[in-house]
Amino acid sequence: MSQPVITEEWHKIPGFDLIYEVSNFGEVRSWGSNARGRTLKTRKDRDGFPTVRLMCWDGRMRVRRVHLLVAKAFPEEEL
C-alpha cells in the first residue's frame, strides 16, 4: 500500500496577511516590495523553537515562533 502524498500549501498569516504567508511545512515567505516570494530565514529562540522576524504595519519588527504561525494559518487542518 502506498503512502499518501502531502503537498505543500500556503496560507496568509493572520495579522500579517498583506505581506507574509506560511506553509504547512513550516516555511515562511514574504511578498513585500523587494522580497517577491522569498523564503525567510529562521533562527532559534532561547527555548530552541524556530522563529522569524516579521515587519508589522506600524514599522516595528516582531519575532514570532513558526509553529504558532502555522497553527494560526491552518486552524482546522490536520497536519
Side-chain angles (χ1 to χ4, degrees), residues 31-77:
W31 289 100
S33 59
N34 295 329
R36 298 184 191 102
R38 186 191 72 185
T39 301
L40 301 180
K41 293 180 181 178
T42 60
R43 297 179 181 179
K44 303 260 182 183
D45 66 5
R46 64 179 175 207
D47 296 323
F49 291 105
T51 61
V52 291
R53 294 173 58 191
L54 306 176
M55 181 71 73
C56 197
W57 62 270
D58 61 0
R60 299 169 109 185
M61 295 299 288
R62 303 280 196 247
V63 176
R64 297 290 184 253
R65 289 181 173 178
V66 174
H67 70 281
L68 297 178
L69 297 175
V70 173
K72 286 182 180 180
F74 296 88
E76 299 173 2
E77 308 217 7

